[in-house]
Amino acid sequence: MTSRIAGVANRAYQLFGGPTATESLPPMQQPTCTDIHVSQEGLTQLLLQLHSLTAKDVDLDAGLVTDASRVHAPVVYLHIVDNGVLSMGIYVLRPGARIPLHDHPGMFGLCKLLHGSLRCRAYTTLPAGQRPNTLPPTPLRGWQRDALLADLTPAKLAMDLVLSVASAQRQQQTIVHTPTEANFHELQALSDGAAFLEILAPPYDHDLGRRVCRYYREVTLEVEDATAATAATAAAAAAAGGGTAGNESRGHLVYLAEIPQPRDFVCASVEYTGPRVT
């Protein structure tokens, strides 16, 4: 009999690597998916299987979350499978630990919470035609402004969720990132820690440099004129379809700057001992 986790892996492989990956997804409630060529029916079936998945189905050891003496790193990764079409594994975050803001270039990402609670903030980068060609007013002039604009990635806040296992189960909610929507994200465990299953399709490819994980921080620009800056930011957000929402609302325009991997992000690997997945 196929285990639930093996069934999820098989369904994901069929969706992201099979011949049915031809149909465009219509807009979805969370997040909005456009121009993504996978089967809508296949994605729905995969999400249903993920919704029913529990910590017991992967033999998750809750001691990895609560007992810091087991593994000293604040973040632990349990690798399940990587077959070229997708990678799948479990991240365990100690209370307060975080996975810093990073990207998933050209990739889908599905995160199913299995234990505890976490906060997820995700950003969608603006298409080239919608990106502002000027910055809000700052003290910088000339080449300094041009250099700053070239190094920043304009994006809009796509989601800011706080999930617990109970709320995710009740709402049948799995965090979904697509190649074009909510593709930059950071996750932080709350006071009870967190563990979640993550599926990435296709997986990162650091060897050939085709899909490399990069880290970012949100940049706060020092402005000369707060009124002018607010107007410029609101205009750019409106052009991107985000309206004039505040900082914590979807559609808020932000600027992301690439940074080295944060020194406080330490992730250790632990052997996965749950049901076998091939």
Side-chain angles (χ1 to χ4, degrees), residues 26 38-39 43 109 117 119 132 180 235 254:
V38 297
S39 163
L43 180 61
S117 54
R119 181 184 184 186
T180 59
V254 299

Side-chain angles (χ1 to χ4, degrees), residues 19-111:
T20 59
T22 58
E23 198 177 317
S24 293
L25 286 177
M28 297 177 64
Q29 182 177 358
Q30 176 65 45
T32 300
C33 301
T34 56
D35 301 325
I36 307 303
H37 296 285
V38 297
S39 163
Q40 173 67 70
E41 181 181 356
L43 180 61
T44 299
Q45 292 300 317
L46 176 57
L47 291 176
L48 286 173
Q49 286 184 252
L50 280 170
H51 294 330
S52 66
L53 197 70
T54 69
K56 188 176 296 186
D57 294 320
V58 295
D59 291 343
L60 180 67
D61 182 356
L64 291 173
V65 180
T66 58
D67 187 357
S69 66
R70 297 269 300 276
V71 182
H72 294 298
V75 179
V76 176
Y77 182 68
L78 290 75
H79 174 71
I80 298 177
V81 67
D82 186 338
N83 53 29
V85 170
L86 60 89
S87 64
M88 185 164 67
I90 298 169
Y91 280 98
V92 176
L93 281 65
R94 298 268 164 66
R98 73 184 184 104
I99 297 178
L101 180 62
H102 61 284
D103 64 352
H104 303 85
M107 301 155 65
F108 280 87
L110 308 178
C111 299

Side-chain angles (χ1 to χ4, degrees), residues 140-153:
L140 301 179
R141 293 290 183 267
W143 67 269
Q144 292 178 313
R145 289 176 58 84
D146 294 339
L148 179 59
L149 183 62
D151 288 341
L152 295 180
T153 300

Side-chain angles (χ1 to χ4, degrees), residues 150-267:
D151 288 341
L152 295 180
T153 300
K156 57 184 178 181
L157 185 64
M159 68 175 72
D160 189 353
L161 299 175
V162 174
L163 286 179
S164 66
V165 169
S167 66
Q169 190 68 26
R170 184 171 60 251
Q171 300 168 19
Q172 290 197 321
Q173 190 158 25
T174 296
I175 298 171
V176 178
H177 311 285
T178 80
T180 59
E181 298 288 334
N183 205 243
F184 291 60
H185 78 169
E186 61 182 353
L187 301 120
Q188 182 164 15
L190 302 186
S191 59
D192 52 349
F196 62 89
L197 176 78
E198 181 177 68
I199 299 173
L200 295 177
Y204 284 114
D205 183 2
H206 291 90
D207 291 339
L208 297 180
R210 292 180 297 188
R211 291 178 298 278
V212 178
C213 180
R214 296 181 173 88
Y215 296 89
Y216 295 83
R217 65 181 177 90
E218 185 176 332
V219 174
T220 301
L221 299 175
E222 295 183 4
V223 301
E224 292 176 316
D225 183 334
T227 301
T230 300
T233 301
T244 57
N247 287 357
E248 298 304 315
S249 299
R250 289 185 60 178
H252 172 62
L253 181 70
V254 299
Y255 293 92
L256 306 179
E258 185 178 344
I259 60 172
Q261 178 177 316
R263 293 184 178 181
D264 64 348
F265 176 49
V266 179
C267 181

